[in-house]
DNA sequence: TCCTATACCTAGAAATCCAAGGTATAGGAG
DNA sequence: CTCCTATACCTTGGATTTCTAGGTATAGGA
């Protein structure tokens, strides 16, 4: 079941910040984590991931460091900053409000959010 | 309480089709209905409403008719077509799947969808 | 040696939406 | 009678976001 790709618009940054709030990750890892956590329902392509990370970094919401490990090529690992945590909090509140508002227009069975 | 306007991206057509599935409406009415049903949380501006209606009509998902009534200026009233109902069904399924997937990434308390 | 998975990146285009402007009608306030 | 406001339609240009399609590079296995 393919999800209309337009729906993710406006939520990518929030999703990335949320994942980085749990642990530092590199771009490729973020992309595959998103895909596997959603069972393939949501894919954020590399063409989106990297520019978005650069933009978040330029704005000070995340910061990066090159990391080397055995038998792996170099990776740029991103960590969320305190400013990023603040933004995440705002964006999560916004997402909640949006869901609530959408529920008035397009009711969805509440069991979707359980399990 | 202002919602990040980017979040509505990709959902406008679905919302419009959903409202038109209940009853025929004109553009201005759709815009104000969306605002009042969501207590002002979601606004779809006229700059979005009219082009979107034209696009939906061009694709055969809705159809229009000019209507006159006492003491009101002419309105263009839109009705959903059977093709539009089919599209709405698909888009609602897509929205459900998207919500479900987002829930794996960004958990939201389930009571948001109640009440 | 070649292929695949990993890992980074960018340029250009597509899609969606909004802000700001314009036109027009009806009713009420001054 | 004039002006203002609410209603009602519309378009242009731009901003934003994301994707497609390409490119580069490394490590390991076939």
């Amino acid at each position: 079941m393919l999800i209309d790709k337009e729906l993710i618009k406006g939520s990518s940054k929030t999703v990335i910040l949320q994942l980085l709030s749990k642990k530092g990750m590199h771009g490729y890892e973020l992309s595959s984590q998103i895909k596997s956590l959603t069972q393939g329902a949501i894919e954020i392509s590399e063409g989106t991931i990297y520019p978005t990370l650069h933009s978040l970094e330029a704005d000070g919401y995340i910061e990066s460091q090159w990391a080397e490990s055995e038998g792996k090529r170099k990776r740029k690992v991103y960590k969320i900053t305190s400013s990023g945590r603040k933004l995440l909090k705002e964006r999560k509140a916004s997402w909640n409000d949006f869901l609530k508002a959408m529920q008035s227009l397009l009711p969805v069975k509440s069991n979707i959010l359980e399990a």
Side-chain angles (χ1 to χ4, degrees), chain A residues 18-93:
Chain A
Q18 167 73 14
L19 292 180
L20 291 181
S21 78
K22 307 274 185 182
K23 73 180 185 91
M25 288 199 218
H26 59 278
Y28 198 84
E29 191 181 5
L30 277 164
S31 184
S32 47
Q33 277 283 301
I34 290 164
K35 189 172 173 183
S36 74
L37 284 173
T38 62
Q39 266 109 55
I42 294 180
E43 279 186 62
I44 299 185
S45 72
E46 293 181 49
T48 299
I49 284 281
Y50 293 112
T52 303
L53 287 171
H54 300 159
S55 150
L56 285 170
E57 185 170 31
D59 292 338
Y61 299 124
I62 59 178
E63 51 194 19
S64 67
Q65 210 174 349
W66 282 101
E68 299 190 56
S69 53
E70 292 263 334
K72 300 274 168 77
R73 58 159 295 183
K74 272 195 197 173
R75 297 155 165 178
K76 201 190 259 182
V77 176
Y78 290 91
K79 284 194 333 190
I80 194 168
T81 63
S82 63
S83 160
R85 286 191 193 277
K86 203 177 147 201
L87 178 63
L88 175 58
K89 201 173 163 188
E90 286 164 16
R91 283 184 161 259
K92 278 166 94 166

